[in-house]
Amino acid sequence: MLILGIESSCDETAVSVARDGREILSNCVLSQIDMHTIYGGVVPEIASRKHIEAIAALANQALEEAGVSRKELDAIAVTYAPGLIGALLVGVNFAKAAALALDIPIVPVHHIRGHVAANYIAFPELEPPFVCLSVSGGNTLILDIRDYTDTRVMGSTRDDAAGECFDKVARVLGMPYPGGKALDDMSMGGNPNTYPLPRSKVSGAELDMSFSGLKTAALNIIHNASQKGEELKLPDLCAGFVAAVRDTLVPRTMEALRQTGYGKLAIAGGVAANSHIRAAFQEECEKVGAKLYMPPLKLCGDNGAMIACQGYYEYLAGNIAGQELNAVASLPADRGSWKNDG
Ligand code: KG4
């Protein structure tokens, strides 16, 4: 079955062609980062306009690279939630028009389920159930992947997403948006104990997380140093910040894994590219004899292949929409099946 996967929930326009949910024939991603970086973050209106400009040409490119004609497509999968509403609407409306013209079904895909599915592409042997930490600029979730289309949220951030904190701290340090990668690079060789940074706990919810206190503490260190005219030890501050994020994410995810007894852990989302977090999961999983799945960096960020892949499993589960499909800005990952919400 050939599926065209479309992703436009934030600042990447992405289109891919995939066969039977696991084989990627093309994966075209057009990043808008250069446009947003001058503002220090994503400007929703600009994101929508850039998606409109790019999406048709990118879809043609994805078909061409895959060596597939429009008529050979069996379905169109599209991210319909959650994300920037204007940006999502571009992908959803393009998918609706293309599905109408080609007389094929539209398969709505929840963005987080798409990130999880990046693991199915990278690891053909991986099947649910497993635990997945999905951690990006917009979400930080510990998920029980009971089945391809059955997700339970075990823990989540109560305030900022981990990636959002990376980006805000990096911005104040003068790094270009999105700063997660630059902050990760800067942390190499730094002493994580020079600047004490908090590890927050949410009382009564051992798997939930909070990052806003960490962000404020890091920003206070930066501002205090600048007010006193002191030079910051940048690698040390970055190493301390990454260590605090790691110490928040890793033990909770390992506890979730222990509670489920699955013995299989996957990670997903842009922050899953972080070298310290990857190394910590490697070490912890080795200790408890769990199998660890970490997709390659190019599949960690937003892409159309993950949507085409998850779309295949949504299609098999009967989660198919008609022209009534609409974009949804905010939708919990455990309510991500279209037929349950539509
Ligand atoms: O999944 P993604 O591409 O987009 C969504 O937010 O959905 O994730 C982007 C996030 C940004 O916050 C970016 O700074 C962060 O992933 N990121 C990283 C690294 N690479 C990307 N954060 C920490 N370390 C990295 N190496």
Side-chain angles (χ1 to χ4, degrees), residues 7 9-12 33 82 111-112 115 134-139 161-168 170 176-185 188 241-242 245 268-278 297 299-303 306:
E7 157 63 38
S9 64
C10 189
D11 57 353
E12 261 104 19
I33 281 174
H111 182 72
I112 298 301
H115 272 304
S134 176
V135 57
S136 69
N139 296 276
E164 197 180 338
C165 290
F166 266 102
D167 295 342
K168 289 213 172 117
Y177 171 85
K181 167 88 174 68
L183 206 153
D184 189 11
D185 292 345
M188 297 302 166
F241 179 80
V242 177
V245 176
V271 181
N274 184 272
S275 53
H276 302 269
I277 294 169
R278 289 172 94 88
L297 304 192
L299 286 175
C300 285
D302 289 351
N303 64 85
M306 67 188 200

Side-chain angles (χ1 to χ4, degrees), residues 133 140-144 152-157 207-209 256:
L133 171 71
T140 305
L141 293 161
I142 300 172
L143 301 168
D144 175 358
R152 177 173 66 102
V153 176
M154 299 183 76
S156 66
T157 180
L207 298 183
D208 279 352
M209 295 155 274

Side-chain angles (χ1 to χ4, degrees), residues 72-157:
E72 288 175 281
L73 291 172
D74 296 298
I76 300 198
V78 61
T79 305
Y80 79 108
L84 301 172
I85 194 68
L88 285 167
L89 276 168
V90 176
V92 165
N93 283 316
F94 182 84
K96 283 164 74 169
L100 189 66
L102 298 171
D103 194 22
I104 53 176
I106 311 167
V107 187
V109 174
H110 191 285
H111 182 72
I112 298 301
R113 287 193 184 176
H115 272 304
V116 175
N119 283 280
Y120 303 140
I121 304 166
F123 307 103
E125 74 284 9
L126 176 63
E127 285 180 13
F130 58 91
V131 167
C132 184
L133 171 71
S134 176
V135 57
S136 69
N139 296 276
T140 305
L141 293 161
I142 300 172
L143 301 168
D144 175 358
I145 308 298
R146 294 191 279 213
D147 207 340
Y148 289 104
T149 57
D150 182 2
T151 309
R152 177 173 66 102
V153 176
M154 299 183 76
S156 66
T157 180

